[in-house]
Amino acid sequence: MKVAVVGATGLVGTKMLQVLAERNFPVTELILVASEKSIGKEVEFKGTKYKVVGFEEALAAKPAIAIFSAGGGTSLNLAPKFAEAGITVIDNSSAWRMDPTKKLVVPEVNANVLTASDKIIANPNCSTIQMVVVLKPLHDKYKIKRVVVSTYQSVTGTGVKAVEQLMNERKGIEGEMAYKYPIDLNAIPQIDVFLENGYTKEEMKMTLETVKIIGDANVKVTATTVRIPVMGGHSESVNIEFENDFDLAEVREILSKAPGIVVQDDIANFVYPMPLTAHEKDETFVGRIRRDESQPNTLNCWIVSDNLRKGAATNAVQIAEYLLEKGLV
């Protein structure tokens, strides 16, 4: 299995390599691709050092799978070239997510939509992934009408520059700013750019992607996304209105049996999900499960997941695993 990682030197690309190694994905030949300034740089994978190459060299090597994490512009430009060469692209940018001709996949939710002819597969937004993992089994049972979500997102979602900004601020060092404002001891209610409707691009990603992944246009979603000074994962306060009533014990049972979910919901012992404990884990954690007492058939919960792993790298590798298992590559 010849695999290319495009954007191999970035924060997510580095995590992709870590997850491929940890999950023992059967890589027989690895091709690491990055921008021109990184060509020739050495990166270690499973004890072997690999030299970073350019896009043309990677294309010529004809890998079976290419996992992209190199930004939307790069994906729009290069993914079709790889796809035309018969290479299956799993793309982590927002470039193809809402393209009606491309599948948007979270394996626990909708991997069954994939076929051998899907040559560009979109990896959803990190905050969307962890939410739909929890929403889908509940939608199947109770039918979701509306979701109200507020996020508390890690600086790692912005990248290395944001992590450095936070750490510099903690040490009292002036440095390059990833954000318009200080992030330490602060909460910034803007992730990505503002759109004409007053929402940010991140908020609309959550709204539109959730509907596409669940496959039900009747599900309404509204989001507020906030950057906070944490590492380790994104947290979400999620309010879910169902068409049908539910039993809380049954909700916990459904979630505990659903793939990729860990229920941490024991308030007597102060057990609930946190970014600190979700860090470097592949599961999505859910807790604070309780009835919304202000209106019928409505549930509140708290969802946490490592945004670099399940929110990006792990989800992409799981898609590759599914393709391999089903003989689609």
Side-chain angles (χ1 to χ4, degrees), residues 169-287:
E169 287 170 4
R170 294 244 155 135
K171 294 170 188 168
I173 299 167
E174 279 200 22
E176 203 178 356
M177 301 273 285
Y179 304 115
K180 186 176 173 61
Y181 299 101
I183 184 63
D184 195 26
L185 302 177
N186 198 15
I188 301 174
Q190 177 191 352
I191 298 178
D192 214 323
V193 297
F194 284 107
L195 304 172
E196 281 185 17
N197 63 358
Y199 287 82
T200 65
K201 199 171 174 184
E202 181 85 355
E203 289 159 354
M204 293 314 298
K205 282 177 191 174
M206 290 194 77
T207 298
L208 299 170
E209 290 178 24
T210 298
V211 172
K212 182 172 178 178
I213 296 162
I214 288 178
D216 187 342
N218 295 316
V219 174
K220 306 301 178 191
V221 182
T222 187
T224 302
T225 59
V226 183
R227 190 72 68 189
I228 62 169
V230 302
M231 312 267 276
H234 293 345
S235 305
E236 298 172 347
S237 171
V238 187
N239 178 272
I240 313 161
E241 183 186 355
F242 299 104
E243 283 187 16
N244 304 301
D245 200 9
F246 56 85
D247 174 75
L248 281 174
E250 187 181 47
V251 166
R252 290 187 182 96
E253 186 183 8
I254 288 167
L255 292 174
S256 64
K257 288 179 176 174
I261 294 174
V262 174
V263 175
Q264 293 180 331
D265 192 43
D266 180 7
I267 54 173
N269 292 299
F270 311 107
V271 174
Y272 32 69
M274 296 181 291
L276 199 64
T277 48
H279 183 50
E280 287 296 348
K281 296 189 174 73
D282 286 332
E283 298 85 4
T284 295
F285 300 87
V286 60

Side-chain angles (χ1 to χ4, degrees), residues 116-137:
S117 61
D118 292 311
K119 289 302 173 192
I120 298 176
I121 301 162
N123 209 30
N125 184 43
C126 47
S127 47
T128 306
I129 289 173
Q130 65 189 70
M131 186 169 74
V132 296
V133 167
V134 173
L135 293 182
K136 183 59 164 62

Side-chain angles (χ1 to χ4, degrees), residues 91-111:
D91 181 54
N92 195 53
S93 79
S94 60
W96 305 100
R97 289 175 188 158
M98 294 315 298
D99 183 326
T101 67
K102 305 292 183 287
K103 309 286 172 61
L104 184 65
V105 175
V106 178
E108 296 93 332
V109 176
N110 66 335

